[in-house]
């Protein structure tokens, strides 16, 4: 059975000068993937510093400088706009990972993540499912761009899509 | 009353020290980038001169990485230019000097580092007199 996923605009909750943030909601769930990430990690004292630095990085650094490729864990090959969306990781030394999809310098989709305990994300019990989901969503978003179901706004600073649009995994 | 969203709440609870940390990292990173531009060096050139891998330099400049004072000193030595400046005086009357919670990030500047700021002009080797005299100067200067 297909899983339906809706894009959620986070502008009302997380407005920044340079980056328009989005997340996704899996059909039947009430919280977005990014909200689930926050709920899972906000009370974990072991990663308190990493968690708070990560939030400050998202809002203050990326939000002010723009979501430049170099600020993410994986450098991807150059792409034309609209870009091929790729999953990326924002990392911190103590293995806290947040998976995101960077559409451009101004559009980022924040997903879920966790504390990575193995060298390879695919083998980690904490992050493998988030890693897989991020990859699947990135692929579907690419297709949606090609089908013109999602488009970048004129100023390339937001996504345009029908309110009933769903990604089908 | 409408409940505050999970996201708004999470971002409103970021402690100042974490925001200051990210701001300082940003300032240091932008400063290094400006010096590299001025010297016409790439990050690879810097890595080579410091005996580090390009990926490590990339990590220092582009991720929330906890740079040590040792690393900053090595960078200043390699770049022959100061990266951080500590205010020499504490002026209680100038509020702007004392507010660390101003989170506005500075704009990138590629202006040429001033000659007098060059590290090579700072004499680290020759003390300015005997230790006791230097201490006396300190006591006098600080009342």
């Amino acid at each position: 059975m297909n899983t339906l996923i809706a894009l959620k605009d986070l502008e009302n909750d997380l407005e920044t000068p340079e980056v328009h943030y989005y997340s996704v909601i899996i059909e039947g769930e009430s919280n977005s993937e990014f909200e689930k990430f926050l709920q899972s990690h906000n009370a974990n004292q072991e990663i308190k510093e990493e968690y708070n630095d990560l939030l400050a990085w998202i809002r203050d650094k990326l939000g002010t400088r723009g979501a430049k490729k170099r600020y993410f864990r994986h450098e991807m090959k150059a792409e034309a706009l609209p870009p091929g969306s790729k999953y990326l990781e924002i990392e911190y030394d103590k293995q806290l990972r947040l998976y995101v999809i960077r559409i451009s310098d101004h559009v980022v989709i924040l997903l879920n993540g966790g504390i990575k305990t193995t060298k390879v994300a695919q083998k980690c019990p904490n992050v493998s499912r988030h890693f897989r989901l991020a990859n699947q969503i990135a692929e579907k978003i690419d297709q949606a761009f090609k089908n013109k179901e999602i488009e970048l706004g004129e100023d390339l600073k937001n996504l345009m899509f029908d309110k009933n649009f769903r990604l089908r995994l | 009353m409408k409940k505050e969203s999970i996201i708004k709440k999470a971002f409103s609870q970021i402690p100042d020290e974490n925001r200051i940390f990210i701001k300082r990292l940003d300032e240091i990173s932008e400063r290094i980038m400006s010096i590299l531009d001025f010297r016409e060096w790439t990050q690879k050139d810097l890595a080579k001169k410091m005996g580090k891998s390009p990926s490590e330099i990339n990590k220092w400049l582009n991720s929330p990485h906890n740079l040590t004072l040792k690393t900053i000193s090595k960078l200043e030595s390699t770049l022959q230019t100061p990266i951080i400046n500590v205010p020499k005086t504490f002026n209680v009357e100038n509020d702007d000097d004392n507010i660390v919670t101003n989170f506005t990030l500075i704009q990138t500047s590629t202006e040429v580092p001033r000659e007098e700021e060059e590290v090579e002009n700072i004499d680290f080797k020759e003390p300015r007199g005997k230790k006791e005299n230097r201490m006396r100067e300190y006591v006098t200067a600080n009342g």
Side-chain angles (χ1 to χ4, degrees):
Chain A
M1 199 178 82
N2 287 328
T3 304
L4 296 179
I5 291 181
L7 284 167
K8 184 182 180 185
D9 190 337
L10 301 184
E11 194 178 25
N12 287 337
D13 294 331
L14 177 57
E15 190 178 3
T16 71
E18 288 298 319
V19 179
H20 196 131
Y21 286 107
Y22 295 82
S23 189
V24 298
I25 300 183
I26 297 172
E27 189 187 32
E29 297 188 2
S30 52
N31 289 329
S32 68
E33 285 301 295
F34 185 54
E35 285 169 321
K36 282 155 65 180
F37 173 82
L38 297 174
Q39 285 182 317
S40 303
H41 297 93
N42 67 358
N44 185 342
Q45 291 301 307
E46 278 181 11
I47 49 150
K48 191 177 140 203
E49 288 302 313
E50 293 82 348
Y51 171 83
N52 284 313
D53 286 348
L54 187 62
L55 295 194
W57 184 260
I58 289 169
R59 186 179 60 188
D60 296 344
K61 175 79 175 185
L62 304 184
T64 308
R65 297 278 178 217
K68 293 168 185 168
K69 277 187 188 176
R70 65 174 189 267
Y71 296 151
F72 298 85
R73 182 170 166 77
H74 291 300
E75 287 290 331
M76 297 296 170
K77 60 186 178 185
E79 295 142 348
L81 286 173
S85 52
K86 304 280 184 186
Y87 93 92
L88 295 157
E89 292 176 357
I90 299 181
E91 72 157 357
Y92 197 83
D93 282 354
K94 285 183 193 162
Q95 310 288 317
L96 179 63
R97 298 285 189 272
L98 172 66
Y99 293 92
V100 308
I101 296 169
R102 177 188 168 278
I103 305 287
S104 71
D105 281 1
H106 304 291
V107 177
V108 174
I109 302 171
L110 301 171
L111 301 172
N112 205 335
I115 302 165
K116 195 169 142 219
T117 56
T118 57
K119 194 167 182 184
V120 184
Q122 293 95 311
K123 292 185 178 171
C124 173
N126 293 341
V127 304
S128 59
R129 64 186 187 282
H130 306 306
F131 170 87
R132 272 198 307 275
L133 183 65
N135 273 289
Q136 289 172 328
I137 293 174
E139 196 184 319
K140 294 294 174 185
I141 285 180
D142 268 359
Q143 284 175 12
F145 265 113
K146 282 176 193 155
N147 299 338
K148 298 194 181 301
E149 292 166 307
I150 303 177
E151 291 181 287
L152 279 168
E154 273 182 28
D155 58 1
L156 308 178
K157 289 191 171 182
N158 66 306
L159 294 179
M160 291 164 58
F161 51 90
D162 187 274
K163 66 178 175 24
N164 296 318
F165 170 70
R166 299 287 181 271
L167 296 162
R168 198 176 288 268
L169 296 191
Chain B
M1 199 174 78
K2 200 182 169 189
K3 202 178 154 193
E4 190 179 26
S5 82
I6 294 164
I7 295 174
K8 267 190 185 165
K9 191 176 173 190
F11 281 91
S12 70
Q13 288 175 341
I14 307 172
D16 280 352
E17 68 174 80
N18 297 84
R19 298 194 70 194
I20 291 166
F21 173 63
I22 295 300
K23 181 173 180 279
R24 291 283 179 248
L25 273 181
D26 177 79
E27 288 167 350
I28 289 169
S29 160
E30 291 297 315
R31 170 78 175 161
I32 293 169
M33 295 290 211
S34 299
I35 298 166
L36 290 181
D37 278 353
F38 168 65
R39 301 237 184 277
E40 296 183 349
W41 291 0
T42 62
Q43 286 184 40
K44 264 188 187 168
D45 295 332
L46 179 62
K48 203 171 170 185
K49 284 171 198 291
M50 294 186 74
K52 302 284 180 188
S53 68
S55 64
E56 188 158 4
I57 300 293
N58 183 59
K59 196 172 178 178
W60 290 352
L61 298 181
N62 297 311
S63 70
H65 185 77
N66 197 3
L67 286 168
T68 64
L69 195 50
K70 269 280 180 203
T71 302
I72 293 170
S73 304
K74 278 181 192 165
L75 280 162
E76 290 191 336
S77 167
T78 307
L79 295 166
Q80 285 292 294
T81 308
I83 293 168
I84 53 173
N85 282 316
V86 178
K88 290 185 176 60
T89 56
F90 178 71
N91 183 353
V92 288
E93 288 173 4
N94 187 352
D95 281 344
D96 287 345
D97 285 350
N98 305 320
I99 297 170
V100 291
T101 50
N102 176 3
F103 296 112
T104 310
L105 301 186
I106 54 166
Q107 286 306 305
T108 309
S109 164
T110 51
E111 71 181 31
V112 176
R114 286 180 297 155
E115 279 292 316
E116 60 268 28
E117 286 186 346
E118 299 260 334
V119 169
E120 58 210 7
N121 291 341
I122 300 169
D123 190 352
F124 289 116
K125 289 175 188 163
E126 293 295 323
R128 282 175 294 165
K130 286 182 183 173
K131 188 180 174 186
E132 310 85 79
N133 291 341
R134 294 203 306 276
M135 281 303 291
R136 202 170 301 129
E137 283 170 20
Y138 177 83
V139 170
T140 310
N142 290 280

